[in-house]
């Protein structure tokens, strides 16, 4: 068969169209409760410490493994096991994001917080369902294409909510911006209604089985000590990057850049640089192997924070802002490519939905919980010292690399557990 025609048939299939829209739906809520919301709060003169603590709104992303077995076990009476959950969650997100247009950050921060937590919980649950749908619908030869189009949709959503939202906010009220963003959830709803149905598999027969099999297999395969160290490494690997991401928008606003500047450069060029970095990371990974990629990309990811440190010294300089955003986001994309490959290598394909939810939950700990004091830290130290601290925050994760990714003279093939009979874990 002609390889070009084969590739076009894969990318042009109905499932790929569904996946790009589901990726868009998954990415849409993230910035609306984090970076974009921080910009709104900053302009409303909310205290910087409160803005930093607002990263705790994202705690559901770190805890989603707790209820992920429920989505494997319970099948709703419409649209199938995966799409039924997706449609309910997406309608809930549309309503919850629209409700943000009624909030007033300065006058009623508590109501804003409750609304944001609801969005984060629904968004984390949507991620579980979307990851499970992607796993179920794709044939082995479609995995690469499916992952690519899903990430593309996700990044387009981040471009919309991180760049366009800030540009719009310079021209219309923030309440109108959130109302407009809520309507974009309709794309995910349409995708779910018309998406192909995955092949039916035998779901867990009890909640106990849905919980025990995935977690028990992971611990049994890794060993208790190694499993704990694995989870600790996942928490720490992108910690330095998370510190910068959490406070970059307030920093740029306080430095004198406008929302349009930030939307066009950080939200637009930054996301493009992240996409390019992710694609480049995937290409380099295939050449130098996963282990060495984690070392090289992790180091670059940490050193890239130096660009923000220099920008804090330089001040309002558009040329250096553009350089800073591109360097930091490109290196973050490199690190993401290697890190996601590492997470996939840790998942037994028989339990990948729940196990990936577990691992990605721990990945979110650094993004949402450990960086909660970042606002208070920046307030007490000043921006230059804050960005220097962010570089050192990346060191603990790098120090754990010898336990999981020793530097080998030759690239090693990525092993996926669960493909051989001996990988089956029997709790009996």
């Amino acid at each position: 068969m002609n390889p070009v025609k084969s590739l076009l048939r894969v990318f042009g299939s109905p499932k790929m169209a569904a996946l790009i829209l589901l990726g868009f739906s998954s990415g849409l809520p993230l910035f609306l409760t984090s970076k974009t919301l921080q910009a709104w709060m900053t302009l409303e003169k909310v205290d910087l410490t409160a803005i930093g603590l607002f990263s705790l709104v994202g705690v559901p992303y770190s805890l989603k493994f707790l209820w992920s077995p429920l989505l494997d076990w319970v099948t709703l009476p419409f649209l199938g096991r995966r799409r039924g959950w997706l449609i309910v969650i997406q309608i809930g997100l549309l309503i919850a994001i629209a409700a943000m247009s009624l909030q007033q950050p300065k006058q009623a921060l508590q109501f804003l917080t409750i609304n944001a937590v609801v969005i984060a919980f629904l968004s984390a649950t949507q991620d579980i369902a979307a990851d499970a749908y992607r796993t179920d619908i794709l044939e082995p030869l479609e995995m690469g294409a499916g992952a690519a189009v899903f990430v593309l949709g996700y990044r387009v959503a981040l471009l919309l909510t991180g760049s366009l939202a800030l540009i719009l906010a310079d021209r219309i009220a923030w309440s109108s911006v959130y109302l407009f963003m809520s309507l974009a959830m309709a794309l995910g709803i349409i995708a779910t209604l018309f998406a192909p149905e995955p092949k039916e598999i035998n779901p867990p027969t009890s909640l106990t089985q849905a919980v025990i099999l995935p977690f028990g297999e992971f611990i049994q395969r890794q060993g208790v000590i190694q499993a704990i160290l694995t989870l600790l490494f996942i928490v720490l690997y992108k910690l330095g990057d998370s510190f910068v991401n959490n406070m970059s928008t307030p920093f740029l606003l306080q430095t004198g850049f406008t929302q349009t500047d930030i939307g066009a450069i950080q939200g637009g060029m930054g996301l493009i640089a992240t996409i390019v970095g992710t694609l480049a990371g995937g290409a380099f990974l295939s050449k130098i192997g996963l282990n060495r990629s984690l070392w090289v990309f992790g180091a670059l990811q940490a050193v890239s924070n130096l660009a923000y440190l220099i920008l804090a010294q330089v001040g309002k300089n558009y040329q250096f802002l553009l350089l800073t955003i591109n360097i930091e986001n490109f290196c973050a994309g490199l690190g993401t490519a290697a890190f996601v490959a590492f997470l996939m290598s840790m998942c037994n394909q028989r339990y990948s939905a729940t196990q990936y939810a577990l691992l990605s939950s721990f990945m979110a700990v650094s993004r949402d919980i450990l960086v909660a004091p970042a606002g208070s830290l920046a307030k007490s130290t000043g921006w230059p010292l804050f960005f220097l601290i962010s570089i050192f925050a990346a060191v603990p994760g790098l120090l754990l690399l010898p336990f999981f990714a020793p530097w080998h003279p030759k690239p090693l093939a990525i092993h996926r557990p669960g493909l051989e009979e001996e990988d089956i874990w029997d709790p009996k």
Side-chain angles (χ1 to χ4, degrees), residues 73-96:
W73 175 48
V74 176
T75 300
L76 299 179
F78 46 84
L79 293 182
R81 192 159 68 109
R82 301 306 185 194
R83 294 192 301 145
W85 278 107
L86 278 169
I87 198 71
V88 170
I89 296 163
Q90 289 165 343
I91 292 172
L93 277 168
L94 190 152
I95 296 170

Side-chain angles (χ1 to χ4, degrees), residues 66-75 85 207 210:
L66 294 177
W67 61 91
S68 60
L70 188 66
L71 274 69
D72 272 338
W73 175 48
V74 176
T75 300
W85 278 107
L207 182 59

